[in-house]
Amino acid sequence: MRTDPDAVESALDGARLAVFRHEPDWDRDPCGIAGDLQWIGCRYGVDGVHSRGLAALLDAVTDSDRGCLLGLFSPGGGAVRAGEFRLKGAGRDIHLSCDAMVEPGGGGRPRRITGTIQDISERRRFEGTLNDTLRSKQMLLAIIDACPISISVADAQQPDTPLIYVNRRFQGLTGYEPADILGRNCRVLQGPDTDPEAVAAIRRAVAAGDRIDTRILNYRKDGTPFVNGLLLAPIRGGDGAVTAYIGFQSDVTEDARREEAERQRQRIEVMGRMMGGVAHEINNLLQPITLLTQELSDRHADDADGPYLDMVLDCARKARRIIGDLLAFSRPGNRTAEPVAAGDLVAATLPLVGKAIGPGVVLDTRIDGGAAALTVRADRTAFAQVLLNLAGNAAAAMGGNGTITVALDLDRAVDPVNGTGPRHARITIADAGCGMDRAVLDRAFEPFFTTKPVGQGTGLGLSVAYGLIKDMGGDITLASTPGLGTVATVLLPVFDPPATA
């Protein structure tokens, strides 16, 4: 059976493949380009392959690849040779791959070279596209990894939706390295005070394949809590099914604290206005009761009714003191604040505190010299009332026995507006008492809220202290752990006298 040469030529041309045999004429050309070339198949747009031989192919090769082509036909080298070179095509290069078998001749020169040349342009373009895609993905991953927002990805197609990616900001935010967290569910960030309702809301959104934007109390690897501003969004495949979840996390602890402080301020302001009106009316009613009871007590001092009148008078005076607290709380603008050294302010109040806390409580005072020299603007009487209220609560929390530490130092937090610090003198009152849980701590500044037994507290001490400090332009916060005690922190802003012209 004979093969049709035209059919073979057509098949090779369609396959973008050429078969060649070249016998170099070393007498005419020391490079081996001259000689007899037999070429069957695709010509790749090269004119004169049959008439000019390899010279026509060499002229069509790009300048940078000529050495590769010459190497295939040069003396020396192995019996099997391969290489790639490009032809100058119309608009874009044609990539060719050559595989050749060399029959050695005299003097180490090839006597005959046979082989194939194949068009691999599409393969190289595909590889180039693939490399570009991989580079783009690597660039995208590098951008995500360097993003200042915490990003995590969880696989929704695996049981328990484990994390499969976290960027560097996530590591910085939570303290978890990829080796610690990948393959685990993000519930590892939850802790004892994480709100179950927030967890349930996230689970409902995940079950429904919905996006959720929420806040949740999470814990870093070292156990410190932070309020996590979490945006969780589903990633869907081509069929619409959820394949993964991407999470964006941010530490919004300070935002949450400021918002809660603002809500507290608004609640107290509303209650203050209400209490001010009520207190004023009750004070008007107590005025004649007190005066008339005093008059009757003086008249009946020596008879059997005297003790009863003294009891009524004592109750009326206690009621007036409570009314005085209410009025002090509801009328914050009637006090006179003046510049004073923070050290002098605290030192002047400590003797009063020492007498008020009782003999079983030791007062441990720690004053930093730099903070003592800071000038703050404060009402001395109001500040004394604040310190007395806080120290009184601390003594009560310890059952009248223990040590209260009063410290004055610099608040070294950076000012969020000007980027400078410190801008506050910090006074802390710490005890080792029973402490408060989160539910009590959240309500501690509410007027009339108290954990003391009936008749032992009005619930006004902390709320009055809060109002007085806020009126001075400062801030007051509480930190507490059940069984370990409470730390009350008072911040008074540094007084900057107005610039003179």
Side-chain angles (χ1 to χ4, degrees):
M1 179 179 177
R2 297 182 62 187
T3 304
D4 184 353
D6 291 336
V8 173
E9 181 86 16
S10 178
L12 292 173
D13 189 61
R16 301 286 290 170
L17 180 67
V19 178
F20 70 89
R21 185 177 67 178
H22 178 62
E23 296 180 358
D25 186 343
W26 296 106
D27 294 333
R28 291 171 50 199
D29 181 9
C31 294
I33 298 301
D36 180 26
L37 174 67
Q38 297 180 21
W39 187 285
I40 302 174
C42 184
R43 290 170 176 76
Y44 311 111
V46 178
D47 295 328
V49 170
H50 285 301
S51 61
R52 297 179 56 215
L54 284 180
L57 185 62
L58 187 64
D59 289 343
V61 171
T62 59
D63 295 340
S64 59
D65 289 349
R66 285 188 176 184
C68 178
L69 180 60
L70 291 172
L72 292 170
F73 300 94
S74 64
V80 178
R81 303 181 183 183
E84 292 185 16
F85 50 90
R86 290 165 296 168
L87 302 182
K88 305 166 189 175
R92 60 182 178 180
D93 293 341
I94 298 174
H95 290 255
L96 300 179
S97 173
C98 179
D99 292 293
M101 180 71 69
V102 177
E103 297 178 21
R109 296 174 175 177
R111 183 172 67 88
R112 182 182 295 112
I113 303 169
T114 59
T116 61
I117 296 178
Q118 185 176 10
D119 186 350
I120 59 171
S121 301
E122 289 302 318
R123 185 198 308 172
R124 289 293 175 259
R125 278 192 285 273
F126 172 76
E127 291 172 353
T129 302
L130 181 60
N131 288 335
D132 289 343
T133 302
L134 291 175
R135 281 193 294 269
S136 297
K137 289 184 177 180
Q138 290 170 352
M139 178 65 74
L140 179 60
L141 286 174
I143 292 172
I144 293 174
D145 195 50
C147 183
I149 299 174
S150 170
I151 299 175
S152 60
V153 180
D155 190 347
Q157 296 181 314
Q158 293 189 47
D160 206 30
T161 319
L163 291 170
I164 57 174
Y165 174 80
V166 293
N167 70 346
R168 275 182 291 174
R169 179 61 189 131
F170 179 95
Q171 301 168 40
L173 176 65
T174 67
Y176 284 96
E177 299 291 331
D180 302 324
I181 198 76
L182 295 185
R184 305 172 67 182
N185 188 280
C186 60
R187 75 172 65 91
V188 71
L189 299 177
Q190 298 170 17
D193 289 329
T194 301
D195 184 5
E197 188 54 42
V199 175
I202 294 172
R203 288 177 178 171
R204 287 193 296 270
V206 170
D210 294 336
R211 164 178 162 159
I212 184 171
D213 191 349
T214 187
R215 287 181 176 179
I216 183 171
L217 183 67
N218 281 157
Y219 291 80
R220 297 183 174 89
K221 185 180 179 181
D222 62 5
T224 57
F226 70 100
V227 181
N228 184 1
L230 174 65
L231 172 60
L232 195 63
I235 300 174
R236 301 184 183 275
D239 58 355
V242 177
T243 59
Y245 277 92
I246 185 169
F248 300 90
Q249 300 87 13
S250 56
D251 186 350
V252 295
T253 305
E254 284 303 309
D255 292 341
R257 187 191 67 80
R258 284 191 293 268
E259 291 167 9
E260 179 57 32
E262 177 60 19
R263 286 193 292 269
Q264 179 82 346
R265 186 196 65 78
Q266 292 176 359
R267 286 197 300 266
I268 291 176
E269 184 178 333
V270 170
M271 295 189 72
R273 287 197 298 266
M274 177 190 71
M275 288 188 301
V278 173
H280 182 71
E281 295 299 325
I282 295 177
N283 195 46
N284 289 339
L285 295 174
L286 285 173
Q287 186 74 13
I289 293 175
T290 305
L291 292 175
L292 293 175
T293 303
Q294 180 68 60
E295 179 68 22
L296 289 173
S297 179
D298 292 341
R299 292 181 184 181
H300 298 273
D302 298 328
D303 59 33
D305 293 331
Y308 299 108
L309 292 171
D310 289 341
M311 186 179 299
V312 172
L313 184 60
D314 183 59
C315 290
R317 286 172 175 167
K318 288 181 179 178
R320 289 195 69 181
R321 282 196 295 271
I322 294 174
I323 294 300
D325 284 342
L326 289 173
L327 290 173
F329 175 76
S330 62
R331 297 175 181 174
N334 297 332
R335 304 180 188 92
T336 302
E338 59 182 1
V340 59
D344 294 343
L345 183 67
V346 174
T349 309
L350 289 177
L352 297 175
V353 174
K355 294 178 180 178
I357 57 178
V361 178
V362 177
L363 200 61
D364 180 13
T365 305
R366 304 174 184 179
I367 297 181
D368 176 77
L374 289 177
T375 300
V376 296
R377 191 177 180 87
D379 182 295
R380 292 174 180 267
T381 302
F383 180 80
Q385 186 175 354
V386 169
L387 221 57
L388 286 168
N389 287 354
L390 295 176
N393 281 351
M398 297 188 298
N401 291 283
T403 300
I404 297 175
T405 302
V406 178
L408 169 63
D409 62 1
L410 296 172
D411 175 36
R412 300 190 180 277
V414 175
D415 185 276
V417 177
N418 301 315
T420 59
R423 301 300 299 164
H424 293 85
R426 179 172 58 189
I427 303 98
T428 56
I429 300 91
D431 65 66
C434 58
M436 294 177 279
D437 60 23
R438 173 56 58 180
V440 173
L441 196 61
D442 288 343
R443 301 186 59 193
F445 289 117
E446 289 184 11
F448 302 114
F449 176 76
T450 180
T451 57
K452 296 177 181 177
V454 176
Q456 294 188 22
T458 61
L460 288 172
L462 285 176
S463 57
V464 168
Y466 181 92
L468 294 173
I469 292 299
K470 285 294 184 180
D471 188 39
M472 297 180 211
D475 195 13
I476 179 171
T477 59
L478 297 174
S480 188
T481 303
L484 297 179
T486 300
V487 178
T489 301
V490 175
L491 298 177
L492 292 178
V494 174
F495 173 65
D496 292 320
T500 56

